[in-house]
Amino acid sequence: MIRLSPFHNMISFFQGENMKVAVLISGRGSNLKAILDAEKTHLLGQAKVIIVVSNNSKAKGIEIAKSYGKKTISLEANNFKTKEAYEKELEGIIQNHGIDLIVLAGFMRILSPNFINKFKNKIINIHPSLLPSFPGLKAQKQALDFGARISGCTVHFVNEQIDAGPIILQEAVDIAEDDSEFSLSEKILKEEHRLLPLSIKMISEDKVKIEHNKVRIVK
Ligand code: GRF
């Protein structure tokens, strides 16, 4: 049976079995850990993490992935002559593992429009602000510097613009007068750890539709 995909205008290949997930990381890996904990406790729906790819071979997240028995692949940019060659390798890895969904969990490398279009509506990202406010780097500091009263986190599909694709889930947190970049980041991170696994679960259960560049959640 082929069923309609959660991805707009595409046919799903996970056919009621596992939705195969690749998690891309660069560092600490706390969001990766939240995803793996959710999988372990059956809170990730039909999704199963098949591979963890890091663009930094020293990322702490690699050890986390291994401790959960996950296959890890390090892809360091300086081992490739061009961005194109790097992405060709990444594309091969994704395809060889039959990946249905790519999750950017603190992946600090910008993917080219060419790569993104190859996996249209199959890549999601977590960003530590309420998009469209404060895209880009140091989103928590941006919110503090601006004097925002609230910030939060956003899980969204990745499109060709940075931190700009259709929004899946958001959660707000209050900014206190005495919040530092660290304390605000910690508050937001707590919500990230809930929202990212939940988004993956909802996609795996076919509850996330994209219509006219917006996400509609099926109740
Ligand atoms: C998170 O704050 C995420 O929102 C941002 O990068 C950070 C990654 O943290 N994109 P971790 O590696 O998941 O701990």
Side-chain angles (χ1 to χ4, degrees), residues 27-32 105-106 126-128 140 189 192:
R28 183 177 53 182
S30 70
N31 277 289
L32 166 69
I126 176 97
H127 183 75
Q140 301 93 333
L189 206 54
E192 291 185 33

Side-chain angles (χ1 to χ4, degrees), residues 24-34 60-61 64 104-108 125-129 136 139-140 152-154 163 185 188-189 192-193 196:
L24 274 52
I25 61 164
S26 297
R28 183 177 53 182
S30 70
N31 277 289
L32 166 69
K33 184 174 185 307
K60 196 171 158 233
I64 295 174
L104 307 184
F107 187 63
M108 298 303 288
N125 180 45
I126 176 97
H127 183 75
S129 77
Q140 301 93 333
C153 54
T154 304
D163 300 328
S185 300
I188 294 175
L189 206 54
E192 291 185 33
H193 294 165
L196 189 54

Side-chain angles (χ1 to χ4, degrees), residues 5-19:
S5 155
F7 311 119
H8 185 50
N9 284 342
M10 293 176 77
I11 298 297
S12 165
F13 297 104
F14 55 95
Q15 302 179 20
E17 295 159 20
N18 286 328
M19 181 181 79

Side-chain angles (χ1 to χ4, degrees), residues 87-124:
E87 291 189 347
K88 195 117 204 82
E89 181 74 17
L90 182 57
E91 186 188 328
I93 291 168
I94 298 297
Q95 274 161 356
N96 291 340
H97 289 83
I99 297 301
D100 300 299
L101 182 72
I102 300 168
V103 177
L104 307 184
F107 187 63
M108 298 303 288
R109 201 179 148 80
I110 294 171
L111 295 165
S112 71
N114 181 42
F115 184 92
I116 290 164
N117 283 325
K118 280 191 181 143
F119 298 98
K120 197 168 165 54
N121 300 334
K122 286 191 163 198
I123 311 175
I124 65 170

Side-chain angles (χ1 to χ4, degrees), residues 29-174:
S30 70
N31 277 289
L32 166 69
K33 184 174 185 307
I35 294 166
L36 295 176
D37 280 337
E39 183 183 307
K40 206 172 176 180
T41 52
H42 310 288
L43 292 172
L44 208 58
Q46 305 260 65
K48 188 169 168 51
V49 176
I50 303 297
I51 40 166
V52 174
V53 180
S54 175
N55 70 334
N56 164 14
S57 59
K58 296 192 175 69
K60 196 171 158 233
I62 295 178
E63 294 315 311
I64 295 174
K66 284 184 181 158
S67 73
Y68 283 75
K70 296 298 179 185
K71 177 171 179 181
T72 62
I73 299 172
S74 289
L75 262 194
E76 300 248 10
N78 51 19
N79 292 334
F80 296 86
K81 280 198 178 125
T82 60
K83 189 175 177 91
E84 209 184 346
Y86 183 92
E87 291 189 347
K88 195 117 204 82
E89 181 74 17
L90 182 57
E91 186 188 328
I93 291 168
I94 298 297
Q95 274 161 356
N96 291 340
H97 289 83
I99 297 301
D100 300 299
L101 182 72
I102 300 168
V103 177
L104 307 184
F107 187 63
M108 298 303 288
R109 201 179 148 80
I110 294 171
L111 295 165
S112 71
N114 181 42
F115 184 92
I116 290 164
N117 283 325
K118 280 191 181 143
F119 298 98
K120 197 168 165 54
N121 300 334
K122 286 191 163 198
I123 311 175
I124 65 170
N125 180 45
I126 176 97
H127 183 75
S129 77
L130 293 175
L131 292 171
S133 292
F134 314 126
L137 293 174
K138 289 193 163 279
Q140 301 93 333
K141 183 170 186 302
Q142 289 186 55
L144 286 170
D145 289 350
F146 199 84
R149 301 288 184 217
I150 57 167
S151 191
C153 54
T154 304
V155 182
H156 64 94
F157 285 102
V158 172
N159 67 11
E160 293 170 19
Q161 284 106 43
I162 291 172
D163 300 328
I167 290 168
I168 303 168
L169 291 176
Q170 291 187 302
E171 189 62 75
V173 305
D174 286 323

